Amino acid sequence: MATINKNYLKLPGSYLFSTIGKKVREYSESHPEAKIIRLGIGDVTQPIAPAVLEALHSAVDEMGKADTFKGYAPDLGYDFLRNVISEKDFKARGCDISPDEIFVSDGAKSDCGNIQEIFGLDNKVAVCDPVYPVYVDSNVMAGRSGEYDSITERFHDIIYMPCTAENGFAPVFPEETPDLIYLCFPNNPTGAVMTKAQLQKWVDYANEHDAIILYDAAYEAYISEDDVPHSIYECEGAKTCAIEFRSFSKTAGFTGLRLGFTVVPKTLKAGGEELWPLWARRHGTKYNGAPYIVQRAGEAVYSEEGRKQIKEQIAYYMGNAKIILEGLKEAGFEVYGGVNAPYIWLKTPDDMTSWEFFDYLLDKANVVGTPGSGFGPNGEHFFRLTAFGSRENTIEAIERIKKLK
Ligand code: PLP
């Protein structure tokens, strides 16, 4: 008799975005005149930059000619892309990451979810709370957790590191020593960052405790302050304790195109075993490479024109972030994030729960955001707004929110 992976049954089901969708649908049906503004989604809205589009078109044309046609891409990515990533993302920042330590993929979500496969089931996992859910769920599916406790809203046998206003939404070392530590900075959902000195402490801690840091830097391109590291490899000793995930999604509008990469240094070991060959094996066995045309588009992100255009897009989103941040402050809200990340994390007023505030904002301002409690119990009484909307909608949403006060 075939049986299922019972670990999947431990997952309580993520109702966050479906509940949001349902509530918004019902509201629009009963208020057809309402002009609803959505500042909840974590998806980009600006079109692909012209330099990237041009590279895509010319790669498509190559696919139509026998002498330039490309079949399967190399498992780990084309050299033209790995070389430029190594130069521009790492060596230019003083990080000694070579092209063959870069594994090109279809995005950070799959890599963040799949990386746990190369680690033993007996590893103790630590995550931030609130958290991007992929890190927890993928470990639950693999069997690295106990049951879900609906009272605490946490899984047994996972270490949760509270990220609160008091600690600046940066975790402190947990009481129990973890083996695998997921960190994401700039953070989704809080928009918080760690300074280089703070991250260095985590690198030292991981090296001291033979732990591995799984560092999600999907929002690295949004960093505006000097003392915030773009890569964990800017910290001394990170090549012996950290894997880093990067994404072209929010950097260059590739959420629909799909491209990302993971860095596994050759010097990185767990339990005395090298991790690079394991991830290479996993990639080679289960993944057949990101499309040629998308990798050419990725290469164009690093061209002079591409960089300039992408910088403008990010500046546009961060202009929205500033409008949200300053507008909410003016309206008397307690607000965080929005300086080095496209997310604004606000404290709900009058002790409302995250969902009460969601309903209030939808009803009174016709603005949709994301309840913080959907990212973990420490997200309760918080609310996430994103800077990915249009300028016009962002301005209008904030004007409406200001009028509520
Ligand atoms: N990591 C974080 C923290 C994210 O917020 C997201 C997307 O929202 C991803 C990874 C996924 O990135 P990708 O589109 O490359 O799969």
Side-chain angles (χ1 to χ4, degrees), residues 6-20 133 136-137 140-141 147-150 153-155 355 373-376:
K6 291 217 171 69
N7 294 312
Y8 276 63
L9 303 180
K10 293 177 187 165
L11 295 164
S14 173
Y15 296 117
L16 180 64
F17 289 99
S18 56
T19 308
I20 292 173
V136 181
D137 291 1
V140 172
M141 289 166 172
E147 293 296 329
Y148 182 71
D149 181 337
S150 58
E153 296 174 48
R154 288 173 164 187
F155 288 93
W355 277 111
S373 56
F375 300 99

Side-chain angles (χ1 to χ4, degrees), residues 116 118-125 139 144 157 178-180 270:
Q116 47 76 29
I118 64 168
F119 295 98
L121 288 182
D122 50 354
N123 282 283
K124 196 76 175 198
V125 172
N139 278 290
R144 237 172 252 107
D157 303 329
D179 303 305
L180 302 177

Side-chain angles (χ1 to χ4, degrees), residues 1 89 105 131 134 149-150 167 179 188 204 271 276 301 306 338 378:
M1 185 181 73
D89 276 335
S105 74
V131 68
V134 174
D149 181 337
S150 58
N167 61 25
D179 303 305
N188 176 15
D204 295 344
W276 189 96
V301 167
N378 272 295

Side-chain angles (χ1 to χ4, degrees), residues 115-278:
I115 196 74
Q116 47 76 29
E117 271 189 34
I118 64 168
F119 295 98
L121 288 182
D122 50 354
N123 282 283
K124 196 76 175 198
V125 172
V127 295
C128 292
D129 169 20
V131 68
Y132 177 61
V134 174
Y135 318 140
V136 181
D137 291 1
S138 56
N139 278 290
V140 172
M141 289 166 172
R144 237 172 252 107
S145 80
E147 293 296 329
Y148 182 71
D149 181 337
S150 58
I151 310 283
T152 60
E153 296 174 48
R154 288 173 164 187
F155 288 93
H156 289 286
D157 303 329
I158 298 258
I159 301 171
Y160 291 85
M161 305 182 290
C163 292
T164 62
E166 290 69 38
N167 61 25
F169 304 100
V172 295
F173 302 133
E175 271 171 34
E176 190 182 353
T177 307
D179 303 305
L180 302 177
I181 304 162
Y182 287 84
L183 295 178
C184 168
F185 290 98
N187 189 264
N188 176 15
T190 65
V193 287
M194 272 200 203
T195 61
K196 190 169 166 191
Q198 279 176 298
L199 189 58
Q200 182 66 56
K201 285 189 183 147
W202 275 96
V203 168
D204 295 344
Y205 173 89
N207 276 323
E208 230 169 79
H209 293 86
D210 290 328
I212 301 286
I213 296 176
L214 301 164
Y215 194 70
D216 187 345
Y219 296 95
E220 159 279 327
Y222 289 82
I223 293 171
S224 67
E225 292 180 320
D226 285 344
D227 61 345
V228 179
H230 288 249
S231 165
I232 195 164
Y233 303 113
E234 289 176 44
C235 296
E236 192 109 9
K239 282 183 75 178
T240 53
C241 70
I243 288 174
E244 181 165 300
F245 307 98
R246 292 279 189 104
S247 169
F248 286 72
S249 286
K250 311 302 162 75
T251 305
F254 276 48
T255 52
L257 274 182
R258 309 305 308 143
L259 192 65
F261 62 90
T262 289
V263 180
V264 184
K266 292 229 161 148
T267 40
L268 188 61
K269 290 183 180 178
E273 297 285 348
E274 289 175 358
L275 291 173
W276 189 96
L278 302 189

